[in-house]
């Protein structure tokens, strides 16, 4: 466009010069000035000479005005070119951190292709900030933006002399010309350490961490553009493994990432098609042997009848942010099913830490109860100790909201998480759930047996019921009952079953108590 404007201006100037030359030749040939002077003297009475002078002055003024307009136009064009450069900069940079963005990365790749550096070895690193989404959900955009700025500043100090980009959200990308993988890995470990240092904003300290994936050109990638994809794949693997160490790209990782992406796509389709449903495992009163409730467990049954292990798709849902949608689908269906049970039979439902980061979680849960007709007193929400690590105050507010509505609260996997006794003293729970890792071996392990006795005694002292999960043998159920454990669940009684079969189990009674009370001695 600029070349077009320059060419047109040159043509206009040449045309003007050509017209001027023609006018000069014409005036000389016609002897125009002498003839014009004679004409003015002849018609002096008409004041023609003054009129001509006025026209000449107007012409000179017009020339001066035109020159000024031309100067203003040049200034305006300069401003426009500067604005175009500014717009190009804005388009290629992140306005928050002022780092180049994906467009800037693309421009840099194109620049490398056009230079002689494209064939030289390059190292790449993707930095995925962990914990940023949680802070954003809890404390809002203002705090999370400040944290991103601090993280970006720390990365600038680390990658001096290299390239640094913000890919978007909580991901950054660094690259550098060279092939010294050991130094690059040291830089990655330094990055993890620096990012994990607490960030002080106002009077509160915030903590994030980083998952890092690395790749090499030309060892891992066929070209510079593919290098980013390889580093992203390695970072995704590090995130899935919850690794505190940086991960180098490997073809096997790429294959695993492809499978992971495919499973993610299948899960999204399964939620829409109704393949994922709640199954129900009964909770048994260890004294009467009757069912007192069912725990809702997620099951994904494909059209061909095969099941996807919950450990795979639930972890996937948590990592990809689908856990909220998955939980909503399961909870709504579970409430519809539980509304058909006797009022004395409760529905026990697990919630993830990610759901408790949403301040409206409790309200939405109560709205679902009202829509499905299930009484709040029939619902028991299971929470894990890991929920209290980051923001115990928010969790306490949400739990109190549910308790005030009549919902029962159980602490799940007790003894396997963080600060168990601290949380029991600060928060109110209705039930303590003994993890299967203690139940599986307590009959043969005196130390495990002592721990279970202590848990049951703790629950009794705090006015909580206790339930043991993972019961597979009658002797386990019998001994737990004699120790004072109120309820139990496990394969001894039943596996998790569909809603129709759960209804059929309601009339079943399991014999769990022995007349020989010496079993606890």
């Amino acid at each position: 466009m600029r070349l077009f404007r320059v060419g047109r201006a040159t043509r206009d100037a040449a045309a003007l010069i050509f017209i001027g030359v023609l006018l000069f030749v014409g005036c000389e040939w016609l002897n125009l000035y002498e003839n014009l002077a004679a004409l003015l003297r002849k018609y002096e009475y008409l004041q023609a000479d003054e009129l001509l002078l006025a026209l000449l002055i107007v012409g000179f003024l017009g020339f001066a005005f035109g020159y000024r307009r031309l100067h203003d136009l040049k200034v305006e064009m300069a401003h426009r070119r500067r604005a175009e450069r500014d717009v190009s900069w804005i388009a290629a940079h992140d306005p928050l951190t002022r780092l180049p963005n994906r467009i800037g990365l693309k421009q840099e790749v194109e620049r490398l292709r056009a230079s002689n550096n494209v064939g030289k070895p390059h190292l790449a690193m993707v930095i995925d900030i962990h914990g940023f989404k949680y802070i954003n959900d809890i404390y809002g955009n203002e705090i999370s933006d400040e944290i991103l700025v601090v993280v970006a500043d720390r990365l600038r100090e680390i990658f001096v002399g290299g390239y640094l980009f913000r890919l978007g959200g909580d991901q950054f990308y660094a690259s550098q010309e060279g092939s010294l993988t050991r130094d690059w890995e040291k830089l990655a470990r330094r990055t993890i350490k620096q990012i994990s240092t607490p960030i002080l904003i106002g009077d509160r300290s915030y903590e994030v961490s980083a998952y890092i994936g690395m790749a090499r050109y030309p060892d891992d990638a066929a070209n510079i553009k593919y290098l980013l994809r390889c580093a992203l794949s390695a970072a995704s693997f590090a995130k899935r493994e919850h690794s505190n160490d940086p991960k180098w790209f490997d073809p096997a990782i790429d294959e695993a990432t492809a499978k992971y992406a495919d499973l993610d796509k299948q899960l999204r389709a399964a939620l829409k098609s109704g393949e994922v449903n709640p199954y129900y495992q009964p909770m048994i009163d260890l004294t009467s042997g009757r069912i007192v409730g069912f725990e809702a467990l997620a099951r994904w049954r494909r059209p061909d009848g095969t099941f996807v292990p919950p450990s795979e798709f639930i972890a996937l849902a948590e990592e990809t942010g689908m856990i909220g949608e998955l939980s909503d689908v399961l909870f709504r269906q579970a409430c519809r099913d539980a509304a058909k049970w006797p009022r004395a039979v409760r529905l026990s439902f697990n919630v993830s830490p990610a759901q408790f980061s949403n301040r409206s979680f409790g309200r939405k849960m109560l709205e679902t109860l009202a829509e499905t007709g299930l009484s709040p007193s029939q619902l028991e929400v299971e929470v894990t100790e890991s929920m209290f690590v980051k923001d115990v105050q928010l969790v306490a507010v949400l739990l109190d909201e549910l308790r005030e509505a009549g919902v029962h609260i159980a602490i799940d996997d007790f003894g396997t998480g963080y600060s168990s006794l601290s949380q029991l003293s600060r928060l109110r729970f209705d039930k303590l759930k003994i993890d299967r890792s203690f139940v599986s071996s307590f009959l043969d392990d005196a130390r495990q047996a002592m721990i279970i006795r202590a848990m049951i005694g703790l629950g009794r002292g705090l006015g909580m019921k206790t339930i043991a999960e993972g019961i597979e043998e009658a002797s386990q159920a019998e001994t737990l009952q004699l120790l004072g454990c109120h309820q139990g669940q496990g394969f001894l009684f039943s596996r998790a079953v569909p809603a129709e079969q759960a209804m059929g189990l309601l009339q079943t009674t399991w014999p769990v108590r022995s007349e020989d009370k010496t079993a606890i001695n």
Side-chain angles (χ1 to χ4, degrees):
M1 186 67 182
R2 186 178 300 172
L3 290 175
F4 173 75
R5 287 198 297 265
V6 172
R8 185 174 63 183
T10 303
R11 289 196 303 271
D12 291 346
L16 185 60
I17 293 172
F18 179 71
I19 293 172
V21 171
L22 287 179
L23 287 173
F24 174 77
V25 172
C27 290
E28 180 66 23
W29 181 64
L30 295 173
N31 200 17
L32 185 63
Y33 177 75
E34 288 76 5
N35 292 332
L36 182 61
L39 183 66
L40 292 175
R41 284 193 297 271
K42 181 179 180 180
Y43 295 101
E44 174 63 26
Y45 66 92
L46 294 177
Q47 303 297 322
D49 52 345
E50 285 79 3
L51 178 61
L52 179 60
L53 181 61
L55 290 174
L56 288 173
I57 293 173
V58 170
F60 278 118
L61 291 175
F63 176 79
F65 178 76
Y67 175 80
R68 182 178 178 183
R69 288 295 300 156
L70 181 61
H71 174 73
D72 291 343
L73 181 61
K74 288 182 178 180
V75 172
E76 183 180 347
M77 293 302 299
H79 285 317
R80 181 176 297 180
R81 285 193 292 271
R82 192 179 305 114
E84 287 174 354
R85 288 196 298 270
D86 291 343
V87 169
S88 299
W89 189 93
I90 292 171
H93 288 75
D94 170 46
L96 178 64
T97 62
R98 302 188 72 79
L99 289 174
N101 55 20
R102 283 184 176 270
I103 296 176
L105 175 59
K106 183 178 179 181
Q107 292 176 354
E108 184 60 31
V109 170
E110 295 300 327
R111 189 191 66 79
L112 285 173
R113 283 179 175 176
S115 69
N116 295 325
N117 295 332
V118 69
K120 295 182 179 180
H122 276 75
L123 298 166
M125 183 188 305
V126 167
I127 302 120
D128 194 312
I129 308 302
H130 176 62
F132 170 76
K133 185 178 183 302
Y134 176 85
I135 292 174
N136 185 68
D137 292 341
I138 297 297
Y139 302 105
N141 293 333
E142 185 176 347
I143 295 297
S144 60
D145 284 351
E146 291 190 48
I147 288 174
L148 277 179
V149 171
V150 172
V151 169
D153 289 342
R154 291 179 179 180
L155 292 176
R156 281 192 185 93
E157 295 176 1
I158 296 171
F159 295 99
V160 177
Y163 301 102
L164 183 62
F165 306 86
R166 184 188 176 193
L167 298 180
D170 52 6
Q171 280 191 334
F172 295 84
Y173 176 67
S175 66
Q176 180 176 293
E177 184 181 320
S179 58
L180 298 177
T181 56
R182 182 176 297 180
D183 290 346
W184 195 240
E185 188 168 332
K186 287 181 180 178
L187 212 59
R189 295 185 185 279
R190 180 186 167 194
T191 299
I192 293 174
K193 183 178 180 180
Q194 288 287 89
I195 290 178
S196 300
T197 304
I199 299 172
L200 184 63
I201 299 176
D203 58 351
R204 181 185 285 270
S205 179
Y206 303 89
E207 292 186 16
V208 293
S209 57
Y211 296 119
I212 290 182
M214 302 177 293
R216 297 154 290 201
Y217 168 78
D219 295 6
D220 300 324
N223 53 58
I224 293 292
K225 186 176 181 180
Y226 187 67
L227 189 62
L228 170 60
R229 178 182 170 186
C230 293
L232 281 168
S233 180
S236 179
F237 178 77
K239 187 175 182 179
R240 292 199 305 274
E241 296 294 314
H242 301 286
S243 174
N244 293 322
D245 295 320
K247 295 294 183 182
W248 283 103
F249 173 81
D250 185 271
I253 288 179
D254 201 30
E255 183 179 349
T257 300
K259 290 182 179 179
Y260 182 82
D262 184 56
L263 186 62
D264 174 69
K265 183 179 179 180
Q266 292 180 33
L267 178 56
R268 294 180 189 277
L271 287 176
K272 293 180 180 179
S273 63
E275 294 177 21
V276 183
N277 287 289
Y279 277 43
Y280 304 95
Q281 186 174 39
M283 300 184 296
I284 310 300
D285 184 293
L286 293 181
T287 300
S288 66
R290 300 299 298 264
I291 291 177
V292 293
F294 289 96
E295 180 180 1
L297 300 170
R299 294 294 183 266
W300 178 2
R301 188 174 187 269
R302 288 195 169 109
D304 61 2
T306 60
F307 285 86
V308 179
S311 58
E312 290 186 13
F313 72 85
I314 292 178
L316 171 67
E318 289 179 339
E319 292 171 8
T320 58
M322 278 193 293
I323 190 65
E325 181 183 358
L326 173 63
S327 182
D328 289 345
V329 169
L330 294 173
F331 182 62
R332 186 172 297 276
Q333 184 58 50
C335 288
R336 292 194 188 100
D337 294 336
K340 303 173 185 177
W341 302 341
R343 289 294 295 268
V345 178
R346 287 180 185 163
L347 167 66
S348 182
F349 194 84
N350 291 275
V351 294
S352 73
Q355 291 174 274
F356 263 79
S357 66
N358 188 339
R359 296 177 182 272
S360 63
F361 170 74
R363 175 179 55 80
K364 290 182 178 180
M365 182 169 269
L366 295 176
E367 287 176 354
T368 302
L369 290 176
E371 291 171 8
T372 57
L374 183 67
S375 170
S377 63
Q378 280 186 266
L379 176 63
E380 182 176 275
V381 172
E382 293 189 14
V383 298
T384 59
E385 297 169 78
S386 60
M387 291 184 180
F388 309 107
V389 177
K390 292 188 175 180
D391 198 330
V392 65
Q393 293 181 346
L394 174 61
V395 174
V397 169
L398 293 174
L399 292 181
D400 286 343
E401 181 182 1
L402 292 173
R403 281 182 60 90
E404 289 176 5
V407 176
H408 301 268
I409 308 296
I411 183 165
D412 194 12
D413 300 334
F414 183 74
T416 63
Y418 307 88
S419 306
S420 306
L421 297 179
S422 171
Q423 306 313 334
L424 286 178
S425 65
R426 297 174 64 182
L427 303 170
R428 292 188 302 161
F429 298 98
D430 302 291
K431 185 185 289 186
L432 185 153
K433 196 166 190 177
I434 302 173
D435 187 69
R436 65 180 67 248
S437 61
F438 299 107
V439 176
S440 61
S441 59
F442 84 99
L443 290 180
D444 303 315
D445 188 329
R447 294 177 65 85
Q448 294 284 64
M450 291 178 64
I451 291 174
I452 285 187
R453 286 173 182 265
M455 289 182 181
I456 294 173
L458 181 64
R460 185 186 302 114
L462 293 176
M464 295 186 294
K465 289 185 178 295
T466 50
I467 178 171
E469 64 176 358
I471 299 176
E472 298 184 2
E473 301 173 7
S475 57
Q476 293 174 335
E478 177 184 332
T479 306
L480 285 166
Q481 191 274 329
L482 293 174
L483 287 172
C485 184
H486 301 93
Q487 300 170 9
Q489 69 180 100
F491 290 165
L492 173 66
F493 308 112
S494 174
R495 295 177 179 271
V497 297
E500 299 79 10
Q501 295 182 34
M503 287 289 290
L505 291 175
L506 287 171
Q507 303 304 318
T508 306
T509 300
W510 284 268
V512 293
R513 184 168 184 172
S514 170
E515 296 300 325
D516 182 11
K517 298 188 179 183
T518 61
I520 63 173
N521 297 326

